[in-house]
Amino acid sequence: MKEFEIKTRVQAYEHTSQLPPLYAQLLEEARSALSSSYAPYSKFHVGAAVRMKNGKTLKGANQENAAYPICLCAERVALGNALTELPHGQVIAMAITVQNDHHEVSAPAAPCGSCRQAILEQEIKQNAPIKLILQGSIGKIYVINSAKEMLPLGFDGSYL
């Protein structure tokens, strides 16, 4: 048997004022997307914003359904909006933030597994990483260099 370790590098910032301006602006766009969230069951709102290489920003918000498995995550809505608007565009960064109607979320909110896979697929398609900027409703901000770092043993088309 051979054992190996997989590590993820995370840059942690205490406040948005410490972020590069592009990331701070993108996080603010994600926060503004929260107003489009539809979360009547969980009361957990997610906003996402993607920045394209051409400078355009597109947003998404989670859309719940009483049949939870068919809900739409904000990250995939934003990615879908971006790739519908600019089908050959390159996503350079995605910011994700949350709001819970029951309590403040002080830990950065990471994408679910399905969203990690979708973001990873886009990285593969465009042959370039997507920077991820994550924050709860308050607190620290994490910046991760790519979805691949969040899903290091990801499934891709090479297996098919």
Side-chain angles (χ1 to χ4, degrees):
M1 180 201 61
K2 193 174 189 177
E3 186 174 302
F4 63 95
E5 186 175 319
I6 297 173
K7 294 182 181 183
T8 299
R9 290 187 177 276
V10 177
Q11 299 166 354
Y13 297 85
E14 294 296 324
H15 191 269
T16 54
S17 64
Q18 298 173 322
L19 288 171
L22 171 68
Y23 300 164
Q25 179 188 13
L26 195 57
L27 191 55
E28 190 55 41
E29 291 286 343
R31 198 163 311 290
S32 75
L34 290 168
S35 64
S36 299
S37 168
Y38 178 70
Y41 308 103
S42 70
K43 308 294 186 207
F44 186 73
H45 307 274
V46 183
V50 297
R51 177 62 58 94
M52 305 302 288
K53 189 173 184 176
N54 73 356
K56 189 163 188 158
T57 298
L58 295 118
K59 299 186 273 189
N62 63 320
Q63 305 298 311
E64 283 186 356
N65 188 294
Y68 267 17
I70 61 172
C71 295
L72 299 171
C73 295
E75 298 90 333
R76 285 181 282 142
V77 170
L79 201 54
N81 284 342
L83 299 174
T84 299
E85 181 86 14
L86 299 164
H88 303 292
Q90 182 178 338
V91 179
I92 61 168
M94 176 183 284
I96 304 156
T97 190
V98 301
Q99 176 184 319
N100 187 318
D101 291 349
H102 303 294
H103 60 85
E104 292 280 11
V105 179
S106 59
C112 73
S114 294
C115 290
R116 291 178 195 204
Q117 180 68 33
I119 300 165
L120 177 64
E121 290 276 340
Q122 181 58 29
E123 286 183 346
I124 292 166
K125 176 183 168 188
Q126 68 186 28
N127 195 31
I130 297 171
K131 190 86 63 170
L132 299 166
I133 301 104
L134 315 172
Q135 187 180 34
S137 52
I138 59 171
K140 288 185 181 180
I141 302 132
Y142 288 171
V143 176
I144 300 168
N145 288 325
S146 74
K148 186 174 178 106
E149 288 196 19
M150 292 187 75
L151 193 63
L153 298 175
F155 185 80
D156 63 37
S158 68
Y159 294 98
L160 303 175

